[in-house]
C-alpha cells in the first residue's frame, strides 16, 4: 500500500477501535436513547453537504423500504443495544464480542446465497472462531452480566446482516447517501426518547465522549473509510475488522482499568484467527486478493462497509 493508504488504515483501526471506550464512559450519565440521539443528530447535520452532492438522496429515497430496513439493523437497534449492554459489561468484552461479526457474516452470506460454499479452510475458521466465543463467554460469564453479553451478540448479528441487505437490495446506491439517510432517520426516531431521558446536566467527560463518538467515530471515520477504499480497494479495507477489537481491549484495560480476563486471553486470538480464516478468499477478484488497481465506485464503498460501533 502507499504511505497515504497506510496512514488511512492506521487511523481507522484506531478510530473504530475507540467507540467502545467512549460508549462505556458516556453511559455512566446518559441513558442509551439519549446517547444514540446525541451521536446521530450532529453526525447527520455535519454530513449534509456530502449527501447532497450529485442528487444522491433522490436515488436513495427510491429504495426507501430497504434503506429503512438497513437503518434498523445497522444503527437503530444495535446502537441502542450496545449502549445498554455497556452499562453492564466492560468495553473490552463488548469490543471482542463484536469481533464475531465476520464469523456470523460468513454463515449469513452463505445462507442467503451471497457467498460461495465453505471449503475446509473456511470451515476450520468458523470452528476456531466460535470456539473462541465459547471460551470467552464460558470463562467470563461468572464475572459478567449475561444480559449484556446476549445484547452484544445480538448487536454482532445485526451488524452481520447489514451487508446482506446491501448486497441484495442496496448495492446500486451511493454509500454516503445511504449512510446519511440512516443517521438522519435514527436521529429522528430517537429524538423523543432522547429528549425525555436527557439528564439536566452532563460532566465534561461525558460531553467529550459524545463529541468523539459523533464527530470522530462517525463523521470523520466514514469519510476516511471512503478515502481508504479509493486508495487501496475494498478488499484490503475490510482488514480493519480484525484490528479494531485489539484496540478496544487495550484501551479498556489501559484507560478504564478493566480486567484482562482469562476468557479474553483465550478467546481473543481464537476469534481473530477464526475470522481471518473464515472470511479470507483467494485472489482473482474476490475479497482478500490484491487490492491494488481495483476500480472503485461509490457503490463499492457501500458494499465494503465495515460496521461502526
Amino acid at each position: 500500500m502507499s504511505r497515504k493508504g497506510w496512514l488511512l488504515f492506521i487511523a481507522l483501526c484506531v478510530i473504530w477501535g475507540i467507540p467502545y471506550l467512549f460508549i462505556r464512559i458516556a453511559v455512566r450519565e446518559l441513558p442509551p436513547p439519549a446517547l444514540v440521539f446525541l451521536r446521530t443528530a450532529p453526525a447527520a447535520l455535519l454530513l449534509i453537504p456530502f449527501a447532497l452532492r450529485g442528487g444522491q438522496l433522490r436515488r436513495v429515497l427510491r429504495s426507501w423500504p430497504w434503506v429503512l430496513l438497513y437503518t434498523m439493523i445497522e444503527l437503530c437497534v444495535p446502537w441502542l443495544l450496545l449502549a445498554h449492554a455497556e452499562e453492564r459489561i466492560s468495553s473490552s468484552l463488548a469490543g471482542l464480542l463484536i469481533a464475531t461479526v465476520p464469523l456470523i457474516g460468513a454463515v449469513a452470506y452463505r445462507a442467503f446465497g451471497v457467498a460461495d460454499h465453505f471449503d475446509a479452510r473456511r470451515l476450520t475458521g468458523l470452528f476456531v472462531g466460535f470456539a473462541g466465543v465459547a471460551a470467552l463467554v464460558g470463562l467470563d460469564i461468572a464475572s459478567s452480566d449475561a444480559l449484556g453479553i446476549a445484547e452484544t451478540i445480538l448487536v454482532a448479528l445485526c451488524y452481520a446482516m447489514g451487508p446482506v441487505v446491501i448486497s441484495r437490495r442496496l448495492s446500486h446506491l451511493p454509500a454516503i447517501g445511504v449512510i446519511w439517510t440512516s443517521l438522519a432517520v435514527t436521529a429522528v426516531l430517537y429524538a423523543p426518547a432522547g429528549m425525555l431521558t436527557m439528564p439536566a446536566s452532563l460532566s465534561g467527560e461525558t460531553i467529550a465522549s459524545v463529541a468523539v463518538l459523533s464527530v470522530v467515530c462517525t463523521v470523520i471515520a466514514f469519510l476516511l473509510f471512503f478515502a481508504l477504499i479509493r486508495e487501496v480497494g475494498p478488499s484490503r479495507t475490510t482488514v480493519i475488522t480484525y484490528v479494531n477489537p485489539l484496540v478496544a481491549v487495550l484501551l479498556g484495560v489501559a484507560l478504564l482499568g478493566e480486567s484482562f480476563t482469562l476468557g479474553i486471553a483465550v478467546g481473543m486470538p481464537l476469534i481473530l484467527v477464526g475470522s481471518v480464516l473464515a472470511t479470507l478468499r483467494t485472489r482473482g477478484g474476490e475479497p482478500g486478493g490484491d487490492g491494488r488497481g481495483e476500480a472503485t465506485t461509490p457503490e463499492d464503498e457501500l458494499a465494503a462497509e465495515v460496521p461502526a460501533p
Side-chain angles (χ1 to χ4, degrees):
M1 293 194 300
S2 64
R3 179 179 297 180
K4 178 181 178 182
W6 275 112
L7 291 174
L8 290 169
F9 177 80
I10 293 170
L12 275 172
C13 286
V14 174
I15 288 174
W16 272 345
I18 64 176
Y20 309 99
L21 170 72
F22 289 105
I23 291 171
R24 178 68 173 167
I25 294 172
V27 294
R28 293 171 179 174
E29 294 183 2
L30 277 173
L35 176 58
V36 175
F37 172 68
L38 289 176
R39 180 177 181 181
T40 54
L45 290 174
L46 291 172
L47 285 174
I48 285 178
F50 301 94
L52 293 178
R53 293 177 181 173
Q56 295 185 63
L57 294 184
R58 288 195 298 271
R59 294 175 59 189
V60 170
L61 291 177
R62 296 192 191 106
S63 301
W64 68 266
W66 295 106
V67 174
L68 184 60
L69 175 62
Y70 172 77
T71 301
M72 292 297 109
I73 63 177
E74 195 74 12
L75 271 73
C76 282
V77 173
W79 283 13
L80 180 70
L81 288 178
L82 186 57
H84 191 262
E86 288 209 47
E87 291 180 323
R88 294 163 170 76
I89 64 175
S90 69
S91 65
S92 303
L93 181 56
L96 193 49
L97 287 172
I98 297 299
T100 60
V101 169
L103 296 171
I104 299 172
V107 176
Y109 303 156
R110 176 59 184 150
F112 284 89
V114 178
D116 297 330
H117 70 280
F118 292 146
D119 56 18
R121 186 198 64 220
R122 293 177 189 171
L123 286 173
T124 300
L126 289 173
F127 176 79
V128 171
F130 285 117
V133 175
L136 174 67
V137 175
L139 293 172
D140 281 354
I141 191 69
S143 59
S144 298
D145 186 276
L147 176 60
I149 291 176
E151 287 176 326
T152 310
I153 293 175
L154 184 56
V155 171
L157 177 61
C158 288
Y159 281 163
M161 295 305 298
V164 175
V165 177
I166 290 172
S167 299
R168 288 292 191 176
R169 299 295 179 178
L170 302 178
S171 61
H172 62 290
L173 297 178
I176 195 68
V178 173
I179 289 167
W180 180 85
T181 303
S182 296
L183 287 168
V185 169
T186 304
V188 170
L189 291 177
Y190 277 98
M195 293 294 189
L196 289 174
T197 59
M198 194 78 66
S201 62
L202 296 172
S203 66
E205 184 180 51
T206 299
I207 293 173
S209 296
V210 172
V212 171
L213 287 169
S214 183
V215 179
V216 178
C217 300
T218 306
V219 176
I220 294 177
F222 277 123
L223 296 179
L224 292 179
F225 179 65
F226 301 149
L228 179 61
I229 293 175
R230 290 189 290 270
E231 183 69 20
V232 306
S235 301
R236 289 180 173 175
T237 300
T238 57
V239 178
I240 297 169
T241 307
Y242 311 128
V243 182
N244 297 155
L246 300 175
V247 176
V249 170
L250 291 174
L251 288 177
V253 172
L255 300 182
L256 295 181
E258 296 174 349
S259 300
F260 189 83
T261 64
L262 179 60
I264 291 176
V266 174
M268 181 166 62
L270 293 177
I271 291 172
L272 296 182
V273 170
S275 295
V276 173
L277 291 175
T279 59
L280 186 65
R281 300 182 183 179
T282 59
R283 295 178 182 270
E286 293 184 8
D290 191 346
R292 291 172 292 185
E294 294 184 36
T296 58
T297 67
E299 289 74 17
D300 292 327
E301 294 173 354
L302 182 59
E305 183 188 353
V306 176

